Amino acid sequence: LLVEAPHHLEYSWQGGPLKNTKVSFKLQKLKEGTKLSFEHSGFVGISEALPFFMLNMGWHRLLSNKVKKWLKQQAERIKLT
């Protein structure tokens, strides 16, 4: 849907009962580093409540654990070179 390199990526997400949701990642340069903002939007009605909660848990796990670990590894790799 939208690419504003290197600061913003937005795309549609479909699957199961979800037909028209949107995922957005934004990077913002801060004095002390970079802020990553994330949003998964477009959920409509009670039928999408369960998928919303399940995806929310999955995104949280991905962003708070796996991405954080990968970024730490990359920072260490950069220090070594």
Side-chain angles (χ1 to χ4, degrees):
L1 295 173
L2 176 68
V3 176
E4 293 176 354
H7 305 290
H8 189 181
L9 172 64
E10 192 173 287
Y11 56 91
S12 61
W13 178 285
Q14 298 182 44
L18 304 178
K19 302 298 179 207
N20 193 24
T21 65
K22 180 174 62 174
V23 175
S24 175
F25 295 91
K26 293 181 182 178
L27 297 174
Q28 178 184 359
K29 188 174 183 175
L30 302 174
K31 186 177 180 180
E32 63 279 355
T34 303
K35 177 182 178 181
L36 169 63
S37 298
F38 168 81
E39 181 179 21
H40 190 169
S41 60
F43 296 90
V44 179
I46 193 72
S47 65
E48 294 185 1
L50 181 59
F52 168 80
F53 287 109
M54 292 175 65
L55 287 168
N56 189 43
M57 289 187 312
W59 283 120
H60 177 74
R61 190 176 320 117
L62 175 71
L63 294 171
S64 65
N65 297 331
K66 293 183 179 185
V67 170
K68 206 180 260 189
K69 181 180 176 181
W70 182 84
L71 290 171
K72 185 176 179 180
Q73 289 171 342
Q74 298 311 305
E76 291 299 319
R77 196 177 110 231
I78 290 169
K79 286 179 188 177
L80 297 174
T81 58

